[in-house]
Amino acid sequence: MKRIVFGLAIAIMAVTQLQADVFINELRISQPSTDTDNFIELAGDPNESLAGMTLLTVSGEFEPGLIEFAYDLDSFLIPTDGFFLAHQTDVNADLVTGDDYFGSPTNFLLVRDFTGAVSDDIDTDNDGVADTTPWSSVVDGVFLFDGDANPDFAYGGSTPVGPDGNFAPAHVFRFENSTGGWNIGSFSDLGNDTPGFANVPEPGAVAFTLLTIGGLLVRRRK
């Protein structure tokens, strides 16, 4: 069965997450056919500064600990509607990334004072424990994991969400917004996605109300 191993250092990061007023609120990392609608949505107070914050994606399976994408949010504010959108292709988004998140197990971390770079490996021995943490604190984090036989690793106190069958969830969202539990949405139906807007429950969505207070090492059932 899956195990979660707790660690004091990451527990402190998790407490930091609970005190944050900016949250990762909704994600899409995959869709049928060619991916064009990957996005990351943040929720916060209107006009709140994102100064000093960076949004990271960190591989949780194929290259554990590899920083795949990093978005410097230092010059941005949360819009007046309370939702900041980083979207793969939408020119009306607050940040157009052009990036495909591959639909694989991935950590999404909102951090402060990031000093690393894309392609840095924070887990050089691939044991699921970060060897370096090039940030001062984790504001919020979510880890999307799959159901295959390969070990998956969560970093930075990320809340684990998944699997969706044998796959990492393609779409996840919080409800209530900001502080609510994580829900798994649909891989094929994008009609219930709400990038840049408040989330509503999807029919048949599975709610996850996981409160993580430790270093998370998610391993596969033998």
Side-chain angles (χ1 to χ4, degrees):
M1 58 186 300
K2 295 187 188 301
R3 294 187 299 152
I4 298 177
V5 179
F6 298 93
L8 178 59
I10 307 303
I12 295 172
M13 291 183 185
V15 172
T16 301
Q17 291 179 14
L18 295 178
Q19 296 172 341
D21 49 8
V22 179
F23 300 88
I24 300 173
N25 197 53
E26 186 177 9
L27 299 165
R28 177 167 286 280
I29 67 168
S30 186
Q31 66 185 89
S33 189
T34 303
D35 286 348
T36 59
D37 291 294
N38 287 333
F39 69 87
I40 308 169
E41 178 191 84
L42 305 179
D45 293 332
N47 301 313
E48 181 172 4
S49 173
L50 299 177
M53 296 188 191
T54 303
L55 192 54
L56 305 176
T57 71
V58 181
S59 176
E61 184 181 83
F62 297 109
E63 297 181 274
L66 183 71
I67 297 175
E68 297 175 323
F69 301 107
Y71 307 117
D72 182 358
L73 304 182
D74 191 65
S75 63
F76 291 97
L77 302 173
I78 296 289
T80 55
D81 61 7
F83 300 101
F84 176 91
L85 178 62
H87 195 283
Q88 183 179 3
T89 58
D90 186 351
V91 296
N92 295 311
D94 302 290
L95 174 64
V96 180
T97 68
D99 294 327
D100 183 351
Y101 305 127
F102 313 125
S104 60
T106 302
N107 296 267
F108 292 83
L109 300 176
L110 181 63
V111 303
R112 295 187 189 275
D113 306 317
F114 180 61
T115 57
V118 171
S119 297
D120 284 356
D121 189 351
I122 65 171
D123 184 9
T124 55
D125 55 3
N126 296 339
D127 65 351
V129 178
D131 304 306
T132 60
T133 52
W135 50 74
S136 64
S137 63
V138 176
V139 177
D140 198 15
V142 61
F143 172 50
L144 307 186
F145 67 96
D146 64 20
D148 65 22
N150 299 315
D152 292 344
F153 301 114
Y155 300 101
S158 300
T159 299
V161 180
D164 186 9
N166 287 328
F167 301 95
H171 176 233
V172 297
F173 63 99
R174 289 185 187 269
F175 192 80
E176 302 284 334
N177 290 278
S178 299
T179 59
W182 282 102
N183 296 256
I184 295 178
S186 172
F187 165 67
S188 57
D189 181 5
L190 278 62
N192 289 305
D193 292 19
T194 58
F197 298 92
N199 299 332
V200 294
E202 294 190 26
V206 180
F208 284 80
T209 54
L210 302 174
L211 175 61
T212 303
I213 315 177
L216 303 174
L217 172 59
V218 182
R219 293 191 180 276
R220 291 288 164 223
R221 181 176 296 137
K222 294 183 178 180

